Amino acid sequence: MSRPGGELEQLRAIVRAFVDERDWDQFHAPKNLAAALTVEAAELLEHFQWLRDGSREELGDDKLEQVRHEMADVLVYLVRLADKLDVDLFAAVEDKMVLNRAKYPAELVRGDARKYHEYKG
């Protein structure tokens, strides 16, 4: 699979420049970044709390914009964590999909949302 234009590398450079301009690298230990990512993911989830399904229509334009910003925050922290740990996110996703395909063979799980250990006999 070819890499689509290096978008993740561009994001990494954008985030790194932002951090460097503010001298924030000193605060970006991997543990701190993982914690911040979790907090931002919770803030993202908060927008969906008590909605029926969280569809675009149910969110509406204003809340969708807030969700969009929270999604960006989650991605920024993930990209920054990958940068600090020198993890190639594209390669990590490719590797994980290989594992997921083995764990969840399409012919066995199509249309089934159970965890892999629930259908293995």
Side-chain angles (χ1 to χ4, degrees):
M1 184 181 294
S2 65
R3 294 177 189 255
E7 288 91 351
L8 285 172
E9 285 303 317
Q10 291 173 18
L11 285 174
R12 184 180 281 200
I14 289 167
V15 173
R16 189 183 291 168
F18 181 86
V19 169
D20 289 346
E21 289 165 358
R22 287 153 184 81
D23 191 28
W24 285 352
D25 186 62
Q26 61 187 312
F27 308 117
H28 287 184
K31 176 196 72 75
N32 296 343
L33 292 167
L37 190 155
T38 302
V39 169
E40 293 300 338
E43 290 178 9
L44 172 62
L45 179 59
E46 187 176 23
H47 291 287
F48 294 92
Q49 189 175 10
W50 312 121
L51 298 180
R52 283 185 317 279
D53 61 12
S55 67
R56 185 181 186 108
E57 295 74 27
E58 188 178 13
L59 285 169
D61 291 341
D62 290 341
K63 189 161 286 259
L64 180 60
E65 184 66 11
Q66 294 170 22
V67 165
R68 184 175 169 265
H69 289 162
E70 296 301 343
M71 291 170 68
D73 286 341
V74 169
L75 182 58
V76 163
Y77 280 118
L78 181 61
V79 166
R80 184 68 180 144
L81 180 59
D83 190 20
K84 292 295 287 189
L85 295 176
D86 197 26
V87 169
D88 179 334
L89 285 173
F90 193 95
V93 170
E94 287 181 315
D95 293 347
K96 184 62 177 176
M97 288 296 104
V98 169
L99 296 173
N100 286 347
R101 281 188 180 87
K103 194 184 287 187
Y104 297 100
E107 63 276 3
L108 294 179
V109 302
R110 188 177 322 282
D112 190 339
R114 292 179 294 168
K115 290 289 286 183
Y116 66 95
H117 65 275
E118 295 179 57
Y119 66 83
K120 290 206 176 199

